[in-house]
Amino acid sequence: KVDSCTDGYGKNSSLVTIFMIWNTMMGTSILSIPWGIKQAGFTSGIILILLMGILTLYCCYRVVKSRQMIPLTDTSNWEFPDVCKYYFGSFGQWSSLLFSMVSLVGAMVVYWVLMSNFLFNTGKFIYNFVHDINVTDIVPGTNGSNKVICPSAAGDHPPQNRSVMFSSGNRTGFELFEEWWDKSKTVPFYLIAVLLPLLNLKSPSFFAKFNVLGTVSVVYLVFLVTVKAAHLGIHLEFNWFTENEFFVPEFRILFPQLTGVLTLAFFIHNCVITLLQNNRNQENNV
């Protein structure tokens, strides 16, 4: 790091970089893991998490050691695509870059969906508050106050995951708001107007430090789920291949959907060599 450099050319600390990458990979996937376990089944989901963790850990270890396995060549400044080029030629180099980009694009798509949902719910909450609209969720409650959302509705029960709205204002105004504040048709484009000015900032360290704040959200989610699980207790019903209204089977043929989620959650191979190299450079400078 050059002492005289201006904002936009400095480097982040190792801690900031680690949290940024961890939040990008694990932060987007941890929200999808419950859905992935539902698709794979409870028992097969737990097994897949362990197996995928071991597999990706071994792959990461091989990537770290890959530069040391190349003799008579200075690989101190090599990245992982350079190693792939040495063994597999241009095909290996561009393939590693392509699949790394696929993983990063997948993370960006997940982030865009999450941010669109957040913006949509925030705008809807503000509109309901300003116009004195009360929203009553038609979902079963656990103890009369805490609400839970079931994955499906059974029989002639009221539709789940929806809301009944009692408005004291103009119905036409509410319909107009619903038309212009749509979760999939308009709000994702409004998000462009919000984020486009931020993309013009010169300093990438701003985005890194801002991204670290997402780590706080992930920790909060883990803590909240732990507290809720301890409060509600453990409810297991072992249905090995059939599901009922409230429980999924232990094994389902849709388990590849969970492996896709875990691939993103455990993927760090495209930057692990760079992280190690930066840490060594910082240690040498010190």
Side-chain angles (χ1 to χ4, degrees):
K1 181 178 180 180
V2 181
D3 294 335
S4 60
C5 69
T6 58
D7 187 33
Y9 298 93
K11 295 192 299 184
N12 296 305
S13 64
S14 297
L15 185 62
V16 171
T17 304
I18 291 172
F19 276 117
M20 179 185 66
I21 296 176
W22 180 81
N23 181 57
T24 301
M25 300 302 178
M26 192 59 189
T28 55
S29 301
I30 196 172
L31 300 176
S32 305
I33 285 179
W35 172 84
I37 293 180
K38 174 181 178 294
Q39 298 302 102
F42 183 77
T43 300
S44 57
I46 299 299
I47 295 175
L48 283 175
I49 290 177
L50 295 176
L51 292 179
M52 289 291 294
I54 295 173
L55 178 62
T56 53
L57 176 61
Y58 175 75
C59 292
C60 190
Y61 171 79
R62 299 307 304 176
V63 170
V64 171
K65 296 296 183 180
S66 61
R67 292 190 304 178
Q68 302 175 8
M69 303 303 293
I70 300 176
L72 305 177
T73 304
D74 183 14
T75 60
S76 58
N77 294 323
W78 281 28
E79 302 287 349
F80 183 58
D82 298 319
V83 178
C84 293
K85 182 179 180 180
Y86 176 85
Y87 286 108
F88 305 105
S90 298
F91 174 79
Q93 180 185 23
W94 291 107
S95 297
S96 64
L97 289 173
L98 175 62
F99 287 106
S100 297
M101 291 301 298
V102 168
S103 177
L104 295 177
V105 169
M108 288 188 291
V109 170
V110 172
Y111 266 115
W112 196 266
V113 172
L114 294 177
M115 289 188 295
S116 298
N117 286 329
F118 177 78
L119 180 61
F120 170 78
N121 291 314
T122 301
K124 192 171 183 179
F125 170 79
I126 295 175
Y127 182 88
N128 293 341
F129 180 80
V130 172
H131 293 82
D132 192 24
I133 298 177
N134 298 320
V135 181
T136 304
D137 295 326
I138 308 180
V139 293
T142 55
N143 56 7
S145 59
N146 295 330
K147 300 294 183 180
V148 295
I149 299 178
C150 297
S152 61
D156 297 330
H157 290 81
Q160 308 278 354
N161 302 346
R162 296 183 181 178
S163 301
V164 173
M165 298 191 176
F166 302 92
S167 175
S168 60
N170 190 352
R171 178 65 178 174
T172 304
F174 177 76
E175 292 177 347
L176 186 62
F177 170 76
E178 290 282 291
E179 179 181 355
W180 286 97
W181 195 258
D182 188 89
K183 182 183 293 186
S184 58
K185 297 179 180 179
T186 59
V187 173
F189 296 99
Y190 297 156
L191 192 61
I192 298 177
V194 175
L195 296 181
L196 188 59
L198 297 178
L199 297 179
N200 295 321
L201 295 178
K202 294 181 179 180
S203 176
S205 62
F206 167 80
F207 297 100
K209 295 176 182 178
F210 186 77
N211 190 287
V212 171
L213 295 177
T215 306
V216 179
S217 301
V218 175
V219 174
Y220 169 76
L221 287 174
V222 174
F223 177 77
L224 177 64
V225 170
T226 303
V227 172
K228 286 293 184 180
H231 175 71
L232 298 176
I234 300 176
H235 304 278
L236 293 177
E237 181 175 319
F238 292 97
N239 299 315
W240 295 102
F241 298 102
T242 58
E243 61 179 323
N244 57 32
E245 183 179 357
F246 301 106
F247 293 90
V248 299
E250 300 303 307
F251 298 95
R252 296 186 69 185
I253 61 175
L254 299 177
F255 67 89
Q257 299 180 10
L258 176 61
T259 60
V261 173
L262 296 176
T263 300
L264 179 60
F266 293 138
F267 182 81
I268 197 175
H269 305 76
N270 63 333
C271 57
V272 63
I273 291 181
T274 305
L275 290 177
L276 293 176
Q277 181 176 332
N278 290 338
N279 288 336
R280 292 193 185 98
N281 293 337
Q282 290 182 3
E283 292 175 357
N284 294 333
N285 293 334
V286 172

